[in-house]
Amino acid sequence: MTGRNELVVRLGRAAALSLVAGTVGGAAILAGQAIVARSRQYAQPELGLALRATVGRAGAPPLRLVLLGDSSALGVGVERFEETIGGQLAHLLAEGPAGRRVQLSSVGVSGSRSTDLATQVARALLGERPDVAVILIGANDATALARPTDAAAYLASAVRRLREAHVEVVVGTCPDLGAVRAVASPLRQLLAWSGRRVARAQTSAVLDAGGTVVDLAVETGPVFRADAGTLCHDGYHPSADGYRVWAHALLPAVEAAATVASRHH
């Protein structure tokens, strides 16, 4: 999702949107909640986490998997590789029916928005071409109250570039920001509304660009809202359990993409 500084800026912008609040009093409430959010300690990237790893038995069918996007692609909120979404996806693919040997890498950057994907795509395509790319993006676009169509256009451009390089692409859309506990109502509802707008725009744009979409808000939002344990200590980024929920939601699409990619070998 995002680091502390980026989140504070975005929450401040959200609080300033007095028209959404409807009244001066409502805007004051949003501003107050943004101030409270500033005092919270948010999870930061673990510099010791491996961004490259190989998972699976030797001799198994190889799969080069790259993650792009925001802090979700790095596993911010957890401390061990096995707990990150990349690590959990790699293990699920290695242990699945195809028994793949997954060569995992991540070019995600904490705090990224869709405008940052162009640089990440360039990094992802350096060296050996990946077979499957998983993009996790949108939360920072939503908290910045970016125009959904603009964010979706940048995402679609990234998907097209990867597809033109013969990489299968799976996009996890903006998660359910109404599930975060670091932000109180009504600011939380504002962010949830913004997130759904971003996710809807992402879905149509990605499909038009030739990618596959997994709506994380629809698929996993109810679980995150019901179980506080799906978030890490900051009440904003996923915990190991939260990343596991996301990994299982993404797995069918990633497995299907891997099957398609294997036919091109």
Side-chain angles (χ1 to χ4, degrees), residues 23-216:
T23 65
V24 174
I29 291 173
L30 292 177
Q33 289 175 348
I35 291 171
V36 171
R38 287 192 189 101
S39 66
R40 296 183 66 93
Q41 295 295 316
Y42 294 97
Q44 300 296 313
E46 288 285 340
L47 299 181
L49 278 179
L51 299 183
R52 294 183 179 273
T54 300
V55 178
R57 63 179 177 81
L63 175 69
R64 291 187 294 274
L65 175 66
V66 63
L67 272 61
L68 301 86
D70 55 27
S71 59
S72 302
L74 295 175
V76 171
V78 298
E79 298 179 353
R80 299 170 58 240
F81 166 75
E82 293 78 8
E83 297 174 331
T84 67
I85 191 165
Q88 299 202 50
L89 264 177
H91 281 285
L92 288 170
L93 290 163
E95 296 162 3
R100 303 181 188 280
R101 183 170 175 81
V102 182
Q103 299 171 21
L104 175 71
S105 62
S106 175
V107 295
V109 178
S110 183
S112 290
R113 291 168 58 178
S114 298
T115 54
D116 301 307
L117 287 175
T119 301
Q120 294 187 25
V121 170
R123 291 176 58 202
L125 294 177
L126 284 174
E128 282 192 291
R129 174 182 58 82
D131 298 306
V132 178
V134 174
I135 304 177
L136 300 168
I137 201 76
N140 296 325
D141 295 292
T143 56
L145 301 179
R147 288 180 57 185
T149 52
D150 290 346
Y154 284 109
L155 173 58
S157 176
V159 172
R160 285 193 192 92
R161 285 176 59 196
L162 290 165
R163 295 294 295 122
E164 288 168 359
H166 306 292
V167 179
E168 299 298 317
V169 182
V170 177
V171 175
T173 59
C174 181
D176 182 9
L177 297 179
V180 303
R181 290 164 172 80
V183 182
S185 299
L187 185 52
R188 186 190 302 173
Q189 278 67 37
L190 172 61
L191 297 183
W193 167 80
S194 181
R196 289 308 303 151
R197 293 178 70 225
V198 169
R200 283 194 295 269
Q202 288 178 316
T203 296
S204 58
V206 170
L207 293 176
D208 287 344
T212 301
V213 175
V214 177
D215 191 324
L216 290 179

